[in-house]
Amino acid sequence: MNQFLDNIDRLFSSLVSLIEQVLFLEVAHFPVIILWLLIGGIFFTLRMGFISIIGFLHAVKIALGFYKQNDQVKGEVSSFQALATALSASIGLGNIAGVAIAIQMGGPGAVFWMTVAGLLGMSNKFVECTLGVKYRLVNPDGTIIGGPMYYLSQGLKEMGQETLGKGLAIFYGIAGLGAAIGGGNMFQANQSFAALAVVVPAVKDYDWLYGLIVALLVGLVIIGGISRIGVLTSKLVPVMVFFYLLGCSWVLIANFNAIPAAFWLMFNNAFSLSGMEGGLIGILVQGIRRSAFSNGAGLGSAAIAHAVAKTKEPVQEGIVSILEPFIDTIIICNVTALVIITTGMYGESVGDNISGSTLAAMAFGQVIDWFPFVLVGIICLFGFSTMITWCYYGEQCWAYVFGQPSSIIFKVIFLACIFIGSVVNLGAVVDFSDMMLLTLAIPNLLGCLLLSGKVATLLKEYWQKLPSF
């Protein structure tokens, strides 16, 4: 068994190395894909008139149901439910293990750039989720489908770029499969087991068994389709977030005097010329990578969930989606970072070969000696909810590229990769997850840039009509 697992690990690592060389070309030590995300966030923030600030209060009102929809409006879920579904995919181990990894690889300053990327990402989310509703399709049975594949193909077709749109849509669909398997699956399985092995050392050599058990549990949920996924995540996510933030608050109250210094450390280190990997550029790159992994802004995946929202106004759904990066990155990720830094684990653990989830568990253990056991449960549930939601995203990508009848094949592959993610090494899983997720930004942001004029027009019309709602 050990020889078999070692062979899987070596083969996977070689594959990751090959893909990384092809996809992540650098200009002056700055990965082009990271620069692409940064340009997109800045452009959309300016083009949409700082919608992340101007529309924030309005987004809260929409999510809380201040604007009622009549029964004739097309859609399957409310705006709040769509927001919760998208958050169930984005709020996961990227908020815990991902933050710890950012601090390990880029120092505390990486968290500052995660926050900046999160603020810019709010505008990305607005554009892609507005387009998701604008170009969604209604099936003969009344169900609704949407997402980047559809606004790339249909939107660019309206602009006379049918061939380009179709090509980008297929590219996105294929990349989406890799993203679902990597960041939405293997990373979750890998990091959740790493946290479990720290708290319960006796299971350290049973990563293969953990992978099989999780694959079985995920299979029992996804076989029921999106309705079962929605029911489960709507119950799990609020409970997980509540207990996680409760634990974070406990730690931060105990280390209250260290909070100002922690904020200063993050800000000061963000502009350090002697960062841990590549100086200032290295810190900035780590922050943007981890932000994209955490909230998915610019990647388009959330548009798949928001496309089925019950609304007649695409802009309204786009506005409510700006809350996702705010909750996910600006609140939860920063709270996680403060826990790690104020407990002193950053200074003691950087450079050690430990996983992100392990570092987070150690940080909580400095204040609440029993909380790592609770945290492991939260981490496993975070990973579980992310996996089942990303399975739905991946299934939609598969259905677009290969047809709905064959989607069972994707589910089998997805479950097999849970096992693989549990047994391969952390470095390979993190690199593969980043590559697959970031690759989504190539077709998605290109399409969003080309269609941004339509979104800007819709936004202008929406503000003019708003008093009549």
Side-chain angles (χ1 to χ4, degrees):
M1 173 64 75
N2 290 337
Q3 183 63 42
F4 172 69
L5 297 180
D6 288 342
N7 289 336
I8 290 179
D9 200 346
R10 283 194 294 270
L11 179 63
F12 184 72
S13 297
S14 298
L15 176 62
V16 168
S17 178
L18 177 61
I19 298 175
E20 186 172 29
Q21 292 178 24
V22 174
L23 291 180
F24 288 85
L25 300 175
E26 294 187 350
V27 175
H29 304 292
F30 204 109
V32 175
I33 190 68
I34 300 297
L35 186 61
W36 183 235
L37 278 169
L38 191 59
I39 291 173
I42 294 172
F43 175 81
F44 292 130
T45 297
L46 297 175
R47 185 72 174 88
M48 302 303 155
F50 293 89
I51 186 64
S52 57
I53 299 173
I54 302 300
F56 187 83
L57 182 59
H58 186 55
V60 174
K61 291 182 178 180
I62 297 171
L64 294 178
F66 278 62
Y67 301 93
K68 300 296 184 181
Q69 302 288 353
N70 61 54
D71 294 335
Q72 283 69 48
V73 174
K74 294 180 180 178
E76 299 184 41
V77 297
S78 68
S79 292
F80 178 80
Q81 290 171 324
L83 175 66
T85 300
L87 282 172
S88 73
S90 62
I91 296 180
L93 292 180
N95 303 90
I96 303 175
V99 173
I101 290 171
I103 294 175
Q104 283 178 305
M105 301 181 70
V111 181
F112 173 85
W113 293 114
M114 282 185 72
T115 304
V116 171
L119 289 169
L120 295 175
M122 293 169 73
S123 300
N124 287 346
K125 284 272 188 173
F126 166 74
V127 174
E128 57 199 27
C129 291
T130 297
L131 291 171
V133 176
K134 170 67 175 176
Y135 292 102
R136 63 185 179 179
L137 301 178
V138 181
N139 291 322
D141 61 359
T143 58
I144 295 176
I145 54 176
M149 301 83 70
Y150 299 94
Y151 60 69
L152 289 172
S153 58
Q154 299 301 316
L156 294 182
K157 181 180 179 180
E158 288 183 357
M159 298 179 65
Q161 300 291 335
E162 181 175 1
T163 302
L164 175 63
K166 191 69 173 180
L168 291 176
I170 294 175
F171 180 11
Y172 187 93
I174 294 174
L177 298 176
I181 291 171
N185 179 341
M186 298 175 71
F187 179 83
Q188 312 298 324
N190 185 284
Q191 288 290 280
S192 58
F193 177 77
L196 178 63
V198 169
V199 177
V200 188
V203 306
K204 185 177 181 180
D205 295 326
Y206 294 94
D207 48 2
W208 59 272
L209 180 59
Y210 177 83
L212 290 175
I213 293 173
V214 173
L216 175 62
L217 293 176
V218 171
L220 291 175
V221 176
I222 64 176
I223 198 172
I226 186 59
S227 58
R228 185 179 295 179
I229 292 172
V231 169
L232 185 61
T233 55
S234 65
K235 297 180 183 300
L236 277 180
V237 172
V239 175
M240 293 185 300
V241 171
F242 172 78
F243 281 106
Y244 180 67
L245 291 180
L246 183 64
C248 290
S249 300
W250 189 333
V251 173
L252 294 180
I253 290 173
N255 294 291
F256 183 77
N257 292 334
I259 293 177
F263 274 119
W264 171 248
L265 179 63
M266 287 189 284
F267 178 79
N268 187 53
N269 185 256
F271 301 94
S272 172
L273 298 179
S274 57
M276 302 183 64
E277 286 193 9
L280 176 59
I281 292 179
I283 297 172
L284 192 150
V285 167
Q286 283 300 326
I288 297 176
R289 285 181 67 164
R290 300 266 64 84
S291 179
F293 188 94
S294 172
N295 60 52
L299 309 185
S301 55
I304 299 175
H306 284 278
V308 301
K310 191 173 185 179
T311 179
K312 63 179 180 179
E313 292 289 343
V315 169
Q316 190 175 79
E317 197 60 27
I319 289 177
V320 78
S321 71
I322 69 176
L323 295 175
E324 292 169 30
F326 182 82
I327 296 170
D328 183 284
T329 302
I330 298 171
I331 295 180
I332 299 180
C333 287
N334 273 279
V335 168
T336 301
L338 287 174
V339 167
I340 293 172
I341 296 172
T342 58
T343 55
M345 293 310 300
Y346 156 68
E348 295 182 11
S349 302
V350 168
D352 295 341
N353 185 26
I354 62 174
S355 71
S357 56
T358 300
L359 179 58
M362 292 169 62
F364 279 98
Q366 298 298 304
V367 176
I368 317 171
D369 55 2
W370 51 265
F371 194 76
F373 292 94
V374 177
L375 182 63
V376 165
I378 293 173
I379 286 174
C380 289
L381 290 175
F382 266 142
F384 182 72
S385 67
T386 300
M387 281 188 274
I388 59 179
T389 303
W390 263 100
C391 183
Y392 173 70
Y393 288 172
E395 184 181 357
Q396 296 307 303
C397 290
W398 180 283
Y400 182 84
V401 177
F402 301 107
Q404 184 64 46
S406 64
S407 60
I408 186 63
I409 298 175
F410 170 76
K411 290 182 178 180
V412 173
I413 296 173
F414 189 87
L415 295 176
C417 286
I418 293 176
F419 172 79
I420 295 175
S422 300
V423 301
V424 298
N425 73 73
L426 170 65
V429 170
V430 171
D431 289 342
F432 180 75
S433 300
D434 282 355
M435 285 185 291
M436 293 298 97
L437 283 166
L438 293 175
T439 299
L440 294 176
I442 299 173
N444 181 61
L445 286 182
L446 178 57
C448 288
L449 286 168
L450 294 173
L451 294 167
S452 61
K454 291 179 178 290
V455 179
T457 299
L458 289 172
L459 178 59
K460 182 179 180 180
E461 294 173 349
Y462 178 79
W463 289 133
Q464 293 173 344
K465 292 186 297 183
L466 186 58
S468 64
F469 284 177

